[in-house]
Amino acid sequence: MSSSGTNIQTHISPWIPLWWSAALPGFGHFLLGINLTAYVLVIFEFIVNYMAHINDAIYFSMLGDFEGAKHVINLRWFFGYIGIYMFAMYDSYRRAVDQNKLFLLAYRYTQNTSASELTNLNRNFMDVTSPGLGLIWSFITPGTGAIFVTRTPIFIFAMTYWGITAVFSHWFEGIYYTAIGDFEQARNVLQPAWFLFIPSIITFSMYFGYHDTVKENKAFKLSQARYLKDNYQSKAFKKPV
């Protein structure tokens, strides 16, 4: 724990980070707390996906225009994308398996867990909060679920890529035209190259806000239990078998 964030190790099914890495490379690593790798993979995804016109090709494929998809794709970037995309899924699965093993050791042998950290720049403390609130705030504005559980660096990074995506995709204009019933204009204003990032960003932000709140609640309860044991439990107490 630091004043800017908390990185908590927990048990997780390896298939979950693999699935999120398939949705957008880097997301699976965020779930595992491997943040630096996640930053690099997300930046890679945005740059190479855009340069290869992958989202444009997906858009044309969804419309059934496979010839258009074939012509719009940039092969010079696309084949470089495939290797990193596959590696992101494999690496998140592998690291989740290793992390689960380390979690068992940490759970058994870690005696004291810090529950608060204070500096002149920021304060960070663990508490029991509602996972539903983390999910709701992440739905309203992706990235806010991260600051809800004091993941400040992730919050700054998520707000950056969300802001860039929302602006270049014309997301808010699309919502406005949809709200007034002008669906044709909404379709025309949206940019597929950026818009197709949005479903992955919103759904992952909601999952991350929920998942990390649950994770922090468990860590706080464990910290409390160990504090009470160390300071108030009699040394002569025998655990029931």
Side-chain angles (χ1 to χ4, degrees):
M1 172 178 281
S2 69
S3 62
S4 63
T6 307
N7 202 346
I8 300 172
Q9 189 163 289
T10 188
H11 188 279
I12 186 172
S13 169
W15 294 104
I16 294 176
L18 183 149
W19 191 92
W20 284 114
S21 293
L24 198 147
F27 282 175
H29 290 79
F30 274 133
L31 286 180
L32 300 174
I34 309 170
N35 297 332
L36 182 58
T37 303
Y39 296 148
V40 174
L41 287 172
V42 170
I43 293 171
F44 168 88
E45 165 68 17
F46 275 86
I47 293 175
V48 180
N49 186 307
Y50 181 78
M51 297 302 295
H53 302 291
I54 293 173
N55 282 348
D56 289 323
I58 293 172
Y59 173 73
F60 284 118
S61 298
M62 292 169 64
L63 296 177
D65 185 0
F66 300 108
E67 280 298 315
K70 184 176 69 173
H71 284 96
V72 78
I73 200 79
N74 188 325
L75 298 179
R76 289 180 299 173
W77 289 87
F78 177 68
F79 285 108
Y81 175 87
I82 294 174
I84 300 298
Y85 182 81
M86 299 298 294
F87 172 78
M89 292 190 288
Y90 164 78
D91 191 61
S92 60
Y93 183 94
R94 175 184 67 87
R95 288 176 182 265
V97 171
D98 291 340
Q99 181 171 291
N100 288 343
K101 297 175 183 177
L102 293 173
F103 169 77
L104 294 176
L105 294 175
Y107 186 85
R108 292 173 183 173
Y109 297 112
T110 300
Q111 295 300 315
N112 297 309
T113 304
S114 174
S116 63
E117 186 70 26
L118 179 67
T119 69
N120 61 340
L121 294 176
N122 201 10
R123 64 177 180 175
N124 182 17
F125 58 89
M126 288 192 293
D127 197 1
V128 176
T129 51
S130 169
L133 285 176
L135 184 150
I136 291 170
W137 282 115
S138 296
F139 173 73
I140 295 173
T141 305
T144 51
I147 201 63
F148 186 71
V149 286
T150 322
R151 308 292 193 274
T152 307
I154 296 177
F155 164 72
I156 295 172
F157 186 74
M159 290 298 293
T160 300
Y161 69 66
W162 165 245
I164 292 172
T165 305
V167 169
F168 284 99
S169 67
H170 300 281
W171 168 248
F172 295 116
E173 294 97 319
I175 292 176
Y176 169 74
Y177 287 120
T178 301
I180 64 175
D182 191 349
F183 302 109
E184 184 65 24
Q185 182 63 18
R187 185 174 69 85
N188 291 333
V189 78
L190 288 173
Q191 299 297 314
W194 291 94
F195 171 72
L196 290 182
F197 287 125
I198 288 180
S200 295
I201 292 174
I202 292 179
T203 53
F204 174 75
S205 296
M206 293 169 62
Y207 181 83
F208 182 86
Y210 184 91
H211 174 267
D212 265 44
T213 305
V214 170
K215 187 167 65 172
E216 186 169 290
N217 288 347
K218 292 179 180 178
F220 177 75
K221 292 177 181 178
L222 178 61
S223 176
Q224 273 195 325
R226 286 176 172 165
Y227 175 81
L228 294 173
K229 175 184 175 182
D230 293 341
N231 292 276
Y232 297 100
Q233 182 172 295
S234 171
K235 302 299 182 183
F237 175 77
K238 294 183 179 180
K239 292 184 179 180
V241 177

